[in-house]
Amino acid sequence: MPLLIKGGEIVTGTEHYIADIYCEHERITQIDRNIDAPSGVEVIDASGKYVFPGFIDPHVHIYLPFMGTFSKDTYETASKAALVGGTTTMIEMVCPSRDMSAAEGFRLWQEQAAGKSACDYTYHMGVTRFDDENAAQLREIVASGIASFKIFLAYKGAFGIDDTELYHTLKLAKELGVIVTAHCENETLVAERQKELLAAGLTGPEQHEASRPPVVEAEGVHHLMTFAELTGAHVYIVHLSCEEALRAALAARFRGVNVSVETLIQYLLLDKTDAERPEFEGAKYVMSPPLRDKRNQPVLWNGLQSGEIQTVATDHAPFDFREQKPMGRDDFTKIPNGIPSLEERVKLLFSHGVKAGKLDLHTFVNVASTNAAKTFGLFPRKGAIQIGADADLVIYDPEYRGTISAKTQMMNVDYSAFEGWEFQGRAETVTMRGEVAVRDGKFVGTVGRGQMLRRQPAHF
Ligand code: URP
Ligand code: ZN
Ligand code: ZN
């Protein structure tokens, strides 16, 4: 059924104005003042509300075999949680084990999503091994519509690649015009420091940060920058957590490296003292790179507002507190890494960014939606409110107040890292390609309607 959204304040990365939006055949077909509603059209009153482009989470894990277990969400639970939180498109990391070919990995990840997602999605193709066979398969995967790779400089012996593989992955990416997203931490330093800490009897979750301090991340960034400079590849640093790493990225940008930067909602709001909580509760807050000293948070907020950092993602990786995090009760290196937050990213960024005066509304839209669309070849189909764009719209009530709790969340995980946190503003109504998927904050969409989005390499 066509949809008419009336009287909302449309806010994009560059403009804000009051107008009506008419949507038909999954797309926005008209934007104007006082559009009349023909019969058979659903009319949604958005007066007093913002209308944002559907938000995009450019870094999630849904199917993730990792550290001896599997992350908890399915495409059904994750996509419902995403939509309720205002996220209409997710980009998942395909992370094949090193003994799996790229083609096998890509197939396996697609099987998890097919017919099960309520929102649109695409993938960053993990390159966890680089050889002639995989290179040929990666070319085919790119030709089939995947315009980004993912590499890990961390996780020695698991997803991590060596420098020869890194060099050739970036050369292939440059040739194909594919952007390379990268987890930047020096895996050798992490492994050695983990051994030292354990040998000293330091085994709790609070040791996680000490095993991979800011310089370890900054070294990883600098390392990637050197390879990007030599190959000319466009790179994107995922989950940047600290000032030292940002400085390394900015120094490289200053000398001409084509580098984009992502930070996470967790780094903006949580800090390393959360991983020091007693009774092993700190394990809820173990992820990599680790939560940092609070001094880094203003640097990250300023980096977003000034344009040094392009995106805010979640790196959503849900592992249960009761059954899975205790795998590392006596050894922090075995705690499954990840802090779930797919559902909460937008409301937390709005509350603590926009309402707190750290981000203006346009920057909020850019870092949570439009910049990801532009960086990953989805714009203007996604991340935009303009004629011809997908009718992915978030009608946002800026005055709503609520409290986060695991008891009410849609994510399939037994805790919330933000339990009891109050927030202001929420996605009241969400449309996904013209269908109302969330009404009054509740999921009313269609599981299986989500499509895998095909993207073209950028060649820049
Ligand atoms: O701790 C994290 N970040 N878990 C997910 C895997 C990754 O490194 O992105
Ligand atoms: Zn990572
Ligand atoms: Zn990740």
Side-chain angles (χ1 to χ4, degrees):
M1 185 199 293
L3 208 58
L4 178 60
I5 297 166
K6 281 201 79 72
E9 183 171 354
I10 296 170
V11 184
T12 69
T14 45
E15 277 134 9
H16 63 107
Y17 55 99
I18 292 178
D20 304 342
I21 305 175
Y22 193 80
C23 310
E24 204 171 8
H25 307 305
E26 305 194 350
R27 305 242 167 169
I28 297 170
T29 55
Q30 199 184 347
I31 304 173
D32 209 341
R33 297 264 170 130
N34 304 318
I35 302 175
D36 288 331
S39 62
V41 171
E42 176 175 357
V43 180
I44 297 175
D45 178 13
S47 49
K49 314 274 160 65
Y50 294 126
V51 184
F52 296 126
F55 294 101
I56 300 171
D57 192 333
H59 182 172
V60 304
H61 300 272
I62 299 166
Y63 176 66
L64 181 63
F66 187 45
M67 298 184 74
T69 186
F70 290 83
S71 58
K72 282 295 304 293
D73 268 316
T74 62
Y75 253 85
E76 178 169 343
T77 58
S79 61
K80 286 179 176 173
L83 284 164
V84 164
T87 294
T88 51
T89 301
M90 334 182 264
I91 312 186
E92 192 191 10
M93 303 291 177
V94 175
C95 300
S97 58
R98 262 180 87 83
D99 57 9
M100 197 182 271
S101 72
E104 284 168 337
F106 187 45
R107 205 176 310 121
L108 179 59
W109 259 257
Q110 286 178 91
E111 281 165 13
Q112 311 306 312
K116 298 187 194 99
S117 188
C119 70
D120 285 349
Y121 59 94
T122 175
Y123 299 103
H124 302 299
M125 182 61 216
V127 183
T128 48
R129 190 182 81 213
F130 192 93
D131 54 24
D132 289 346
E133 183 203 16
N134 262 5
Q137 294 177 357
L138 288 167
R139 287 176 187 278
E140 284 172 21
I141 290 166
V142 171
S144 78
I146 298 300
S148 47
F149 291 158
K150 169 68 188 290
I151 54 169
F152 294 88
L153 306 189
Y155 304 135
K156 209 178 179 71
F159 303 136
I161 53 173
D162 66 25
D163 281 353
T164 309
E165 293 172 307
L166 171 59
Y167 184 63
H168 290 288
T169 302
L170 293 187
K171 280 184 59 157
L172 179 66
K174 173 68 182 169
E175 181 198 324
L176 298 177
V178 162
I179 184 169
V180 180
T181 71
H183 177 138
C184 298
E185 288 180 296
N186 182 301
E187 61 176 6
T188 306
L189 289 173
V190 172
E192 293 309 307
R193 289 180 67 86
Q194 285 178 335
K195 276 190 237 163
E196 284 167 12
L197 288 160
L198 291 176
L202 300 168
T203 59
E206 69 284 358
Q207 302 303 328
H208 182 67
E209 209 269 343
S211 72
R212 39 216 316 155
V215 287
V216 168
E217 185 181 343
E219 200 288 324
V221 170
H222 180 69
H223 200 81
L224 178 75
M225 294 304 103
T226 305
F227 284 64
E229 190 170 356
L230 284 172
T231 57
H234 182 188
V235 290
Y236 173 99
I237 300 164
V238 299
H239 51 42
L240 182 134
S241 73
C242 61
E243 179 176 356
E244 289 84 341
L246 182 59
R247 282 186 188 281
L250 295 178
R253 194 180 281 160
F254 187 66
R255 54 180 201 269
V257 175
N258 192 359
V259 54
S260 306
V261 177
E262 165 196 287
T263 191
L264 305 182
I265 193 68
Q266 295 93 322
Y267 300 134
L268 290 164
L269 299 176
L270 304 170
D271 66 82
K272 69 178 188 177
T273 62
D274 287 303
E276 293 165 8
R277 293 185 189 211
E279 311 290 333
F280 197 61
E281 214 201 324
K284 292 177 181 173
Y285 298 91
V286 167
M287 66 174 302
S288 296
L291 298 179
R292 300 297 188 193
D293 189 284
K294 253 195 157 11
R295 73 173 166 84
N296 293 285
Q297 291 177 348
V299 176
L300 299 177
W301 285 112
N302 292 339
L304 288 166
Q305 182 58 44
S306 68
E308 290 169 348
I309 300 176
Q310 281 63 54
T311 56
V312 177
T314 60
D315 191 11
H316 180 68
F319 296 101
D320 273 344
F321 178 59
R322 274 187 289 277
E323 297 293 333
Q324 293 176 296
K325 295 278 184 181
M327 293 166 69
R329 184 171 280 284
D330 302 317
D331 175 352
F332 71 90
T333 69
K334 296 193 167 64
I335 299 170
N337 284 202
I339 303 179
S341 52
L342 175 58
E343 195 168 337
E344 319 296 6
R345 175 184 66 126
V346 172
K347 62 167 79 80
L348 288 169
L349 193 67
F350 185 82
S351 300
H352 296 274
V354 176
K355 286 284 182 184
K358 292 179 182 140
L359 298 182
D360 68 57
L361 269 176
H362 300 299
T363 303
F364 166 70
V365 171
N366 278 325
V367 300
S369 176
T370 309
N371 287 350
K374 289 180 175 169
T375 305
F376 296 116
L378 293 166
F379 189 85
R381 182 173 173 192
K382 304 292 188 188
I385 299 183
Q386 62 186 55
I387 289 163
D390 278 359
D392 293 359
L393 297 165
V394 178
I395 300 168
Y396 206 82
D397 177 358
E399 301 309 328
Y400 183 90
R401 283 167 193 271
T403 306
I404 293 172
S405 174
K407 290 194 191 81
T408 50
Q409 73 193 6
M410 303 288 288
M411 300 181 291
N412 183 34
V413 61
D414 69 355
Y415 78 99
S416 170
F418 301 96
E419 187 70 39
W421 283 49
E422 293 181 350
F423 61 90
Q424 198 174 353
R426 70 156 181 179
E428 183 178 272
T429 306
V430 179
T431 70
M432 215 280 297
R433 276 187 285 105
E435 182 189 82
V436 177
V438 173
R439 224 183 265 282
D440 197 21
K442 304 269 180 313
F443 177 77
V444 294
T446 309
V447 171
R449 191 166 171 272
Q451 290 176 356
M452 186 177 122
L453 303 166
R454 288 172 206 286
R455 301 177 284 132
Q456 297 295 320
H459 280 292
F460 59 101

